[in-house]
Amino acid sequence: MFTVGAESLLQQAREIQAEELGKFCSRICKLLREEDLGPDAVDCLRRLFLIVSATKYNRRLDKTCVDLLQATLCLPACPEPLQVLCAAILREMSPSDSLTLSCNHTQNTRQLSLVASVLLAQGDRREEVSMVAQHILRALESRQPEGPSLRHLLPVMSKVVGLSPGALQEDQTTLLSKRLIDWLRYASVQQGLPHSGGFFSTARARQPGPITEVDGAVATDFFTVLSMGHHFTEDQWLNVQAFSMLRAWLLHSGPEGPGAPDSDDKSELEGSTLSVISATSTAGRLLPPRERLREVAFEYCQRLIEQSTRRALRKGDSDLQKACLVEAVLVLDVLCRQDLSFLYRTLSCLKALHGRLSGDPACVRVLLPLARFFLTHGEAAAVDSEAVYQHLFTRVPAELFHSPMLAFEFIQFCRDNLHLFGRNLSILTLSFPNLFKFLAWNSPALTAEFVALLPVLVDASTAVEILHALLDLPCLTAALDLQLRSLPALSERPLWDTSLRSPSCLEAFRDPQFQGLFQHLLRPKASGTTERLAPLYQLLQPMASCARVAQCSEAVPTLLHAYFAAVTQVASGALTDQLVLVLLERSDSLYRVPQFEARVHRVLSSQFLALCKLKPSLVVELARHLLEFLGSVSGVHSRASMVTSVVWAVGEYLSVTYDRRCTVEQINKFFEALEALLFEVTQSRPSATLPKCPPQVVTVLMTTLTKLASRSQDLIPRVSLLLSKMRTLAQSPAASSPHGEEGAEAIHTRATELLNLLKMPSVAQFVLTPSAEVGSPRYHRDVNTALPLALRTVSRLVEKEASLLPG
C-alpha cells in the first residue's frame, strides 16, 4: 500500500502531458550538457524515472534526451547515482529502436553491468544477449587479484543464461564452471579490511579477524553464505553471488541442459587456483569441470545444512538459515536428478533434516522442497515417503493457514509438482478441505491458483463434497477467524478486522452443542459425507460484515465456474443427478453475506441449465425433487434466477422428445404446480418483507405452461383462460406497481403472443416443441422451410381470423 504522499506523486506523474514532458526533457538536456553534473541533475533524473515508470505504456522522449542519457551512462567520470538513474530510465523505455548503446566503451565492471542491463531489456532483437555474454566472459578471464571487481557481473551473467541458454559455447561454459568452483569452495576465511580507519584506529585494530558461524563460534571450515563477519572480501561476495546462481547454472550446464555433455578433458586445474591436494574428494581422480562443480555444490549444501543446526544469535540470521536451507535442498534435488550417485549420499542427510524440522513450525517452509525431493526420488531410492506427505498436508494447512507467504508457496508447490504425485495423487485430492483453508483465508491472492488446481482436485468421489465446500467458503473463513481468536496469543498474529466484536460467536464456537458442526467445517480431510450447516449460518451472521469474509465471498462465483468446467469432464449420469440436487438444495441454504446470494444464484442457475443440457432426461428422473422445489413459494423472490432456470428447463426438457418415460400424468403434475406458482407470484403484493417478483419469472412461467399445454392438449383451455387473465391483469394500473411499466408491458406482450399461438394447437406444438430437425441450424437458414417463415404464416392466419370476428 502506498502512502497518501506517494499516491499523489504517482497521480501527478501519470497525468503529465506530452508538451509538459517535452519541456522537462529540454531542461534535463541542459543539465546533462554541463561539465559539473550536480544534485540538480540527479533530482531531475529521479523525477523523469518516476514519470516514465508510472504508466503501463511507454513514454516518448526526445531523441536528444535519449542520446544524452546514453552518453551520460558511458561517461568515465560520471557519478554512480547518475549512471544508475540513466540506466533505469533507458530500461523503462526498452525495447526501443533509438538505443545505440554498446559494451565496447565501458570503463569498469560497474558501468558494464548497467549498460548490459539496458541491452538485455531490449529482448535480443540485435543479438544483444550474445554480445553482453562475450564482454562479461572476457572480464571473467582476468585473473589478477587487483583487477576490477567482478561482483557486479554475476547477476548479469545469470540473466544472460536465463534469457538465452544457448548463448554460451562449450569453452565458455567450462570457464564459468571453473570460476564458480573457485568462488564457492576457496573464498577467504578471514574477514576483510574496513574501507577506512578512523583517527583513533590502530594497525592492530584494523587486522582482519576470522569469519564466524551464526552462533558466534569461529568457523573451522570453508566460507559460505551463512558465514558471518563485519567486513567481507571480494571473493566472499562472489561466493554469495555464485551460490545464488548455482541452481540455474547447474540446470543450464547439466546433462539435460543446452550445454554439451562433460568432455574427457582431465585438466581441471588449468586456469584455476585450486590446490592439487584439495582438487577432488573422489579418491584422487581428477574430474571434468562440470562434474567437479557438482561435487563442490554438494559439499557446499552439506555445509549449509550443518550450519543450519547452529542457534543463530539474531533473528535475521535465523531467517537466513531457513532461506539457505530451502535453496540447498533445491540444489541437492538438481544434483540427484543429474547424477544418481549423489542420491544415496543425500538421503540420510535429508531424512535427518526432515525429522529435525517437522516439529518446528518456524521451519515449515523448508518442508516444501524436502517433500518435492522425496516425491522426485523416493521411488528410485526405495523410500516410503508417505509420512512426509501426510504431515505436510494434514498439519501444516490446519495450523498455519494464516501465513500468506506459506499459503502461496504451498499451493504453488501443489501446482508445480502434480506430475510427481502419480499414485499418491489421492493424498492431494482427499486433503482439499485443508487446502481450502488457505483459500478461505487468502482468497484474493490464491483465487487464480485454485482455478488452475480445481480440475485436479475434482473427481467422481469428491465432486459433491467440494461443491458444498465452495458454497460454504465464506462460512469457513468466519470459522477460521474464530479458531484463531480462541487460541492462545500467537508469536506472529495474523491480520484480521480489529473493529469486529463478536463475543457471541466465540461463545458459540466453544459451545459443545455446535462442536460437531464446527469440526465438520474445519475437518482436515474429505469425509465423504455432508452436513447441513444452516445452524452455523445464523450463529456466524454477526461476522458476515467482516472484510475477510466479504473478500472470500467475492471469489466464490469465479471458483464455481472453474469447478463446473472441471466436473463436467468427469460427471456420470448418477453424479449429474447428485449435482442437480445439491443446486436445488443449496439455492436456499447459503451464508448470508451481502451480495453473496445474488452472485451465487446467478452461477447456480446457469450451471443448472448446463447440466440439464448435458443430460436432458434428469428433468424426468428428478421430477419429484423439482416439484418440491417449485412448491416452496417462500423462496421465489430471493431465488428468482434459480426458479426461472428450473421453470425454463421443465418447459424445455419435459417431453417425450428427450425422454420416452415422460407421461401425460407427469406433465399434468408440473402444470398444476406451475399454475399454482404463477397464481401466487401474481396475486401477492410487494411489502417490506416480501419484495416484488421479477417479471422474467412471470413470463417464463406463462411460456412453460403453454409448452406443457401444447404437449397435453386437454390443458389448452385452462392455459388460454390463464393467459387472458394475465393479459388483462398486465393492462390494469395495479400491475405497474409490482412489476413496473416495462415489466407489465413485457407480460402483456408475451401473453398475447402465446394466446395467438394456441389458437392453432398443431402449429403451437411445432413451434414450442420442435423436433431435432427443426432445431438444427439448417432449418433456420433455409428460406423455404425456416421456422421464422412458419411463425410469419401463423401470424397472418391468426390476424385474418381475428379480422373476421365481430367487433
Side-chain angles (χ1 to χ4, degrees):
M1 295 294 290
F2 293 110
T3 63
V4 177
E7 286 284 1
S8 176
L9 288 174
L10 284 171
Q11 189 65 25
Q12 293 176 28
R14 290 172 183 142
E15 292 177 353
I16 190 170
Q17 300 299 314
E19 183 179 354
E20 188 178 355
L21 179 59
K23 294 179 181 179
F24 186 58
C25 288
S26 299
R27 181 186 172 191
I28 290 176
C29 291
K30 292 179 181 178
L31 291 172
L32 294 181
R33 288 191 181 101
E34 297 178 359
E35 294 184 5
D36 184 16
L37 298 173
D40 288 344
V42 174
D43 183 61
C44 287
L45 288 180
R46 283 175 180 164
R47 295 183 183 182
L48 181 59
F49 174 69
L50 177 62
I51 292 170
V52 297
S53 62
T55 57
K56 294 181 180 179
Y57 59 89
N58 288 337
R59 291 279 194 174
R60 287 186 174 274
L61 301 183
D62 295 338
K63 186 178 184 306
T64 305
C65 183
V66 173
D67 292 341
L68 282 171
L69 289 172
Q70 296 179 85
T72 304
L73 174 59
C74 298
L75 282 177
C78 180
E80 186 174 324
L82 276 174
Q83 288 181 324
V84 172
L85 285 168
C86 290
I89 294 168
L90 293 173
R91 281 197 303 270
E92 284 293 330
M93 294 180 57
S94 299
S96 172
D97 294 328
S98 59
L99 294 182
T100 57
L101 276 177
S102 171
C103 297
N104 296 327
H105 306 295
T106 52
Q107 303 296 318
N108 52 59
T109 56
R110 176 64 177 170
Q111 193 179 59
L112 175 58
S113 69
L114 292 173
V115 172
S117 69
V118 178
L119 293 174
L120 294 180
Q122 286 287 93
D124 203 24
R125 300 196 302 174
R126 301 172 183 170
E127 299 185 352
E128 289 92 345
V129 176
S130 178
M131 179 176 62
V132 168
Q134 303 309 316
H135 281 81
I136 292 179
L137 287 167
R138 279 200 290 270
L140 292 177
E141 288 176 352
S142 174
R143 301 169 186 165
Q144 292 80 12
E146 67 277 3
S149 170
L150 303 177
R151 195 192 314 173
H152 307 297
L153 299 183
L154 273 188
V156 181
M157 196 67 213
S158 180
K159 184 73 172 177
V160 167
V161 172
L163 286 175
S164 180
L168 302 183
Q169 299 176 359
E170 176 64 21
D171 58 337
Q172 296 170 334
T173 302
T174 301
L175 169 66
L176 188 52
S177 294
K178 291 179 180 180
R179 290 291 174 266
L180 291 174
I181 292 170
D182 290 349
W183 294 326
L184 286 170
R185 188 62 178 82
Y186 302 102
S188 171
V189 292
Q190 295 291 320
Q191 296 189 44
L193 289 170
H195 295 295
S196 60
F199 178 77
F200 295 102
S201 62
T202 62
R204 181 180 177 85
R206 291 197 300 271
Q207 289 298 318
I211 61 170
T212 61
E213 304 289 0
V214 290
D215 59 357
V218 175
T220 57
D221 209 334
F222 59 89
F223 183 90
T224 70
V225 179
L226 287 177
S227 299
M228 300 291 111
H230 296 291
H231 304 282
F232 294 105
T233 61
E234 181 68 21
D235 60 344
Q236 289 168 351
W237 282 115
L238 289 169
N239 178 283
V240 174
Q241 290 186 335
F243 178 65
S244 71
M245 70 173 290
L246 176 60
R247 180 158 53 102
W249 181 252
L250 288 172
L251 289 170
H252 168 266
S253 61
E256 70 276 13
D262 288 337
S263 64
D264 294 328
D265 180 16
K266 303 299 181 181
S267 58
E268 194 269 343
L269 299 182
E270 181 182 354
S272 174
T273 58
L274 301 182
S275 66
V276 175
I277 297 176
S278 59
T280 180
S281 62
T282 55
R285 180 172 60 88
L286 296 182
L287 298 174
R290 288 192 183 117
E291 291 187 13
R292 174 60 182 152
L293 177 59
R294 292 179 204 141
E295 191 69 36
V296 169
F298 178 79
E299 295 174 4
Y300 197 101
C301 293
Q302 292 283 344
R303 168 122 167 89
L304 287 178
I305 293 173
E306 183 275 327
Q307 287 178 299
S308 70
T309 62
R310 298 176 179 268
R311 186 178 182 84
L313 300 178
R314 294 173 295 182
K315 185 180 183 303
D317 294 340
S318 177
D319 294 337
L320 180 62
Q321 281 179 308
K322 301 182 189 82
C324 290
L325 270 180
V326 169
E327 187 64 20
V329 174
L330 291 174
V331 170
L332 289 173
D333 182 26
V334 174
L335 292 175
C336 293
R337 280 190 277 130
Q338 293 183 348
D339 188 345
L340 200 60
S341 65
F342 287 108
L343 177 58
Y344 305 100
R345 299 160 63 185
T346 304
L347 271 177
S348 59
C349 171
L350 293 190
K351 283 182 183 178
L353 180 64
H354 181 267
R356 177 166 62 88
L357 300 181
S358 58
D360 186 359
C363 298
V364 69
R365 290 171 66 186
V366 187
L367 296 179
L368 295 175
L370 278 172
R372 175 185 168 82
F373 182 90
F374 288 112
L375 272 173
T376 307
H377 307 288
E379 186 174 350
V383 175
D384 185 8
S385 307
E386 188 170 350
V388 178
Y389 316 142
Q390 292 292 351
H391 174 270
L392 187 68
F393 284 95
T394 303
R395 289 189 56 190
V396 173
E399 298 173 1
L400 299 169
F401 59 86
H402 53 81
S403 171
M405 186 61 70
L406 173 64
F408 178 79
E409 291 182 354
F410 199 104
I411 302 305
Q412 196 68 33
F413 162 80
C414 295
R415 284 192 60 190
D416 292 345
N417 298 287
L418 289 174
H419 62 289
L420 297 177
F421 277 96
R423 59 184 177 86
N424 295 308
L425 190 61
S426 60
I427 295 177
L428 182 64
T429 56
L430 293 178
S431 300
F432 81 84
N434 257 359
L435 298 179
F436 277 14
K437 293 175 184 177
F438 285 130
L439 175 62
W441 196 261
N442 307 277
S443 54
L446 294 182
T447 301
E449 302 298 319
F450 269 89
V451 166
L453 191 60
L454 272 174
V456 181
L457 300 178
V458 175
D459 59 26
S461 62
T462 61
V464 173
E465 195 173 351
I466 287 179
L467 178 55
H468 280 285
L470 287 174
L471 294 172
D472 289 327
L473 208 59
C475 190
L476 175 61
T477 306
L480 292 173
D481 192 300
L482 293 177
Q483 181 184 14
L484 284 178
R485 292 174 190 267
S486 64
L487 293 175
L490 300 172
S491 57
E492 295 183 2
R493 296 185 65 84
L495 297 175
W496 50 41
D497 189 354
T498 56
S499 64
L500 183 66
R501 298 290 182 265
S502 54
S504 61
C505 295
L506 279 172
E507 292 173 5
F509 184 78
R510 301 187 182 102
D511 191 339
Q513 179 183 354
F514 303 107
Q515 281 298 304
L517 292 177
F518 276 112
Q519 286 175 2
H520 175 78
L521 187 59
L522 298 170
R523 65 195 183 280
K525 288 187 176 182
S527 62
T529 60
T530 57
E531 294 282 346
R532 293 181 178 272
L533 300 179
L536 292 187
Y537 303 154
Q538 187 66 28
L539 291 173
L540 300 178
Q541 193 57 43
M543 301 187 67
S545 59
C546 178
R548 193 178 294 276
V549 174
Q551 279 187 328
C552 179
S553 70
E554 293 175 0
V556 171
T558 302
L559 295 165
L560 286 174
H561 280 297
Y563 165 83
F564 281 104
V567 80
T568 52
Q569 304 299 319
V570 298
S572 61
L575 178 56
T576 303
D577 291 352
Q578 285 182 284
L579 294 174
V580 168
L581 293 178
V582 173
L583 297 186
L584 297 176
E585 174 195 349
R586 294 306 304 271
S587 64
D588 194 32
S589 180
L590 294 170
Y591 188 35
R592 297 187 182 280
V593 181
Q595 305 300 320
F596 176 61
E597 287 181 296
R599 296 191 189 105
V600 171
H601 283 157
R602 283 195 291 270
V603 179
L604 296 187
S605 61
S606 65
Q607 296 304 326
F608 173 82
L609 294 177
L611 292 175
C612 288
K613 185 176 182 180
L614 186 67
K615 185 187 177 185
S617 61
L618 63 82
V619 174
V620 174
E621 295 174 359
L622 303 178
R624 180 174 62 84
H625 300 281
L626 294 174
L627 286 169
E628 290 176 358
F629 174 83
L630 294 172
S632 56
V633 182
S634 59
V636 170
H637 305 281
S638 61
R639 296 181 289 167
S641 59
M642 191 66 188
V643 171
T644 302
S645 295
V646 172
V647 172
W648 186 90
V650 169
E652 184 71 12
Y653 300 114
L654 188 64
S655 168
V656 292
T657 304
Y658 294 101
D659 195 325
R660 293 293 179 183
R661 294 171 293 177
C662 178
T663 63
V664 175
E665 183 182 359
Q666 279 185 328
I667 292 176
N668 291 339
K669 284 183 179 180
F670 272 100
F671 183 89
E672 291 172 0
L674 295 174
E675 186 181 37
L677 181 59
L678 179 60
F679 177 80
E680 291 291 338
V681 299
T682 54
Q683 296 302 316
S684 60
R685 294 292 181 263
S687 63
T689 58
L690 187 63
K692 64 182 181 181
C693 177
Q696 292 85 350
V697 176
V698 179
T699 55
V700 170
L701 278 168
M702 292 191 302
T703 305
T704 298
L705 286 169
T706 307
K707 288 181 178 180
L708 296 181
S710 69
R711 297 164 199 166
S712 178
Q713 297 192 3
D714 293 340
L715 299 174
I716 289 179
R718 290 173 62 179
V719 176
S720 299
L721 180 60
L722 182 63
L723 292 174
S724 299
K725 290 181 178 179
M726 291 303 305
R727 184 169 60 176
T728 304
L729 180 64
Q731 289 178 316
S732 65
S736 61
S737 175
H739 302 298
E741 293 183 5
E742 292 184 3
E745 179 63 26
I747 293 172
H748 178 270
T749 303
R750 178 61 58 87
T752 303
E753 292 172 349
L754 295 174
L755 271 172
N756 289 336
L757 201 56
L758 284 177
K759 290 179 180 179
M760 304 183 72
S762 58
V763 176
Q765 186 173 10
F766 171 76
V767 172
L768 297 174
T769 311
S771 62
E773 294 80 10
V774 175
S776 66
R778 181 201 64 78
Y779 205 90
H780 289 264
R781 295 193 188 107
D782 192 336
V783 295
N784 296 317
T785 61
L787 187 59
L789 175 63
L791 288 174
R792 286 195 299 270
T793 303
V794 170
S795 298
R796 283 196 295 268
L797 289 173
V798 169
E799 290 172 0
K800 181 178 180 181
E801 182 181 349
S803 64
L804 297 176
L805 294 175

